Amino acid sequence: MLSNLLTLSIGAILIENFVLVQFMGICPFLGVSKKVETATGMGLAVVFVMACASGLTYFVNLLLNLLGIAYMRTIAFILVIAVLVQFVEMFLKKSIPALYNSLGIYLPLITTNCAVLGVALLNVTKKLGFIESLVYGATAGLGFTLAIILLAGVRERLESSNIPDFLKGMPITLITAGLLSVAFMGFSGLSF
Amino acid sequence: MLTICLGRKAMNFMMDILFPVILIGGMGLVFGVLLAVAAKAFAVKVDERIPKITQALPGANCGGCGYAGCAAYADAIVKGEAKTNCCPSGGAAVASKIAEIMGVDALDVVPMVARVMCSGTKDCAKTKYIYSGETDCHSAMKLGGGPKLCSYGCIGLGSCIKACSNDAISIKNGVAVIDKDKCGACGQCVAECPKHIIELVRADVSYAVTCSSKDKGKKVRAVCSTGCIGCGICAKNCLAEAITIENNLAKIDPEKCANCGMCAEKCPQKVISFMTVPYEDTFEEFVRV
């Protein structure tokens, strides 16, 4: 069981990294990666929401299967994730203001992060159990955090380097992201 | 037979449509109610003065007040941690609005301006190498602390110009100069300068020591012909006893300064400049002497 979870985690963080290998959640990956500090905030918020969403959608999926309308999965999951994020935001604002202030505006942004929906749908296709879903969700979020912090670190250095005019801004960022992605291809050799 | 067939088909059809509609609709309804209840249960009481003050502030989030942004400053005012007159870009108008919201007497606002505390133009300050990289102070800073021999001096590549939202800064002969009339005292340049030599000073005080060097006199003389050498002549001649020498650098206390001009006259390095006349003129006048 434990080795199974470990395999799943390494798979989610490195081999099947959500951003750099599966290309999900590119919007926040490029949008919130200007500073390492904000990137970390966004990453942690994603870890949190992905773990919660994985757990909740597991039960929603059971319900949908029971009624034989599994084809409604995508819509139902979107609904659940949106509600979950709203609820989590309210809950944090009331009970853990410190965490709420540090996650700040990133929480509502996650509603539209397709990586969260992706992890919920992948849990179903991979036929994962409840615990496995939770672990897969959290580690997929960690993979996202790793990727966004890596890119933010590179972008901070790019700020003060001499880049040709036509590559300044988004072009050089996309090239960097591409190179990171190529580097992560190397982990495919780890797959069991 | 036909009717039964049709009936069954109709039933199946109904099931196919109704089930999903009921389920998703039902989920939406339940979630909606849950959120409404949660919103009530988890409602955080926000002091109604906070959004009002945030509205009254300029909303530039410049950080000139010393807080993270306008909302953070508004929060601090309501909590009683901050005074109502700390917004430098809003000035007296904003301060009186805030005082009105808080129901207290309006405090006097001292108008501030940002000032580059360096006079080391190309003619005065010696250089150790010729920099030909990107025109950005942070880049030059990484190359041995910039091209000037003086480790405190203005690099003069204009990172502050990019940070300034009022277009008030220009580079004059290798040193950044801030136009007093355009400056909104937001403090963006203060935060941006890698040498930390831009200061917010009182706009009504005429004299300031435009040098940041904490080196000893001999070393200052070796790298710059107009740097403060910490000789103390200004302090001795000051009628109001407003000048102190700290770390080999003269400092004028704006609260005590009587604007007499004795210090600027006696300064052997001509580094104390007069601020109330347009800054550029005095800049040329004093630096070129």
Side-chain angles (χ1 to χ4, degrees), chain A residues 64 67 71-72 83 90 94 160, chain B residues 20 23-24 31 39 43 139 142:
Chain A
L64 289 178
L67 295 172
Y71 62 89
M72 293 302 280
V83 171
M90 282 185 221
K94 174 81 174 176
S160 56
Chain B
L23 185 82
I24 300 294
F31 285 149
S139 301
K142 284 176 188 160

Side-chain angles (χ1 to χ4, degrees), chain A residues 129-150:
Chain A
F130 181 64
I131 304 281
E132 288 169 319
S133 291
L134 280 182
V135 170
Y136 192 66
T139 47
L142 282 179
F144 177 88
T145 314
L146 175 70
I148 198 169
I149 291 180
L150 281 178

Side-chain angles (χ1 to χ4, degrees), chain A residues 56 60 63-64 67 69 71-72 75-77 79-80 82-83 86-87 90-91 93-95 156-157 159-163 168, chain B residues 15-17 19-21 23-24 27-28 31-32 34-36 38-46 133-134 136 138-139 142:
Chain A
L56 200 62
V60 174
L63 182 70
L64 289 178
L67 295 172
I69 47 170
Y71 62 89
M72 293 302 280
I75 293 179
F77 280 8
L79 185 66
V80 169
V83 171
Q86 284 293 319
F87 183 78
M90 282 185 221
F91 178 75
K93 201 173 183 179
K94 174 81 174 176
S95 25
E156 278 191 355
R157 287 183 166 224
E159 279 283 298
S160 56
S161 33
N162 204 356
I163 304 164
K168 265 182 188 159
Chain B
M15 293 287 260
D16 282 348
I17 299 288
F19 255 33
V21 169
L23 185 82
I24 300 294
M27 269 168 73
F31 285 149
L34 270 180
L35 276 186
K40 282 263 182 226
F42 292 114
V44 180
K45 266 204 172 167
V46 179
E134 209 193 355
D136 177 73
H138 297 276
S139 301
K142 284 176 188 160

Side-chain angles (χ1 to χ4, degrees), chain A residues 32-171:
Chain A
V32 206
S33 58
K34 274 197 169 163
K35 280 184 184 164
V36 172
E37 206 183 0
T38 50
T40 317
M42 182 72 190
L44 291 179
V46 168
V47 172
F48 187 67
V49 172
M50 272 189 171
C52 294
S54 298
L56 200 62
T57 48
Y58 175 76
F59 293 108
V60 174
N61 190 47
L62 283 185
L63 182 70
L64 289 178
N65 282 340
L66 198 71
L67 295 172
I69 47 170
Y71 62 89
M72 293 302 280
R73 204 176 280 141
T74 311
I75 293 179
F77 280 8
I78 291 175
L79 185 66
V80 169
I81 290 166
V83 171
L84 177 76
V85 174
Q86 284 293 319
F87 183 78
V88 166
E89 197 190 346
M90 282 185 221
F91 178 75
L92 286 184
K93 201 173 183 179
K94 174 81 174 176
S95 25
I96 322 172
L99 186 64
Y100 175 77
N101 284 336
S102 58
L103 296 184
I105 52 161
Y106 306 118
L107 262 180
L109 277 181
I110 295 169
T111 324
T112 52
N113 184 347
C114 70
V116 181
L117 180 65
V119 80
L121 290 174
L122 273 176
N123 282 336
V124 176
T125 15
K126 285 180 176 260
K127 298 194 175 67
L128 299 179
F130 181 64
I131 304 281
E132 288 169 319
S133 291
L134 280 182
V135 170
Y136 192 66
T139 47
L142 282 179
F144 177 88
T145 314
L146 175 70
I148 198 169
I149 291 180
L150 281 178
L151 184 70
V154 176
R155 281 183 80 172
E156 278 191 355
R157 287 183 166 224
L158 283 178
E159 279 283 298
S160 56
S161 33
N162 204 356
I163 304 164
D165 269 346
F166 65 99
L167 284 177
K168 265 182 188 159
M170 208 30 95

Side-chain angles (χ1 to χ4, degrees), chain B residues 125-228:
Chain B
K126 290 177 188 156
T127 52
K128 54 184 158 188
Y129 64 85
I130 296 165
Y131 176 79
S132 63
E134 209 193 355
T135 42
D136 177 73
C137 297
H138 297 276
S139 301
M141 185 77 181
K142 284 176 188 160
L143 279 172
K148 272 179 188 158
L149 261 176
C150 174
S151 60
Y152 298 91
C154 173
I155 296 173
L157 289 169
S159 280
C160 48
I161 297 180
K162 285 178 212 153
C164 182
S165 45
N166 294 327
D167 212 12
I169 309 178
S170 54
I171 302 291
K172 295 252 152 55
N173 204 7
V175 173
V177 177
I178 299 172
D179 184 339
K180 209 180 138 189
D181 299 324
K182 286 187 191 164
C183 178
C186 63
Q188 298 278 37
C189 52
V190 178
E192 182 69 22
C193 179
K195 293 281 189 187
H196 309 292
I197 56 169
I198 308 183
E199 281 174 29
L200 283 180
V201 295
R202 283 172 59 153
D204 59 335
V205 172
S206 307
Y207 295 92
V209 182
T210 42
C211 179
S212 304
S213 176
K214 295 187 175 78
D215 283 336
K216 283 189 176 151
K218 199 179 167 194
K219 204 175 167 194
V220 174
R221 274 220 181 86
V223 297
C224 180
S225 63
T226 188
C228 175

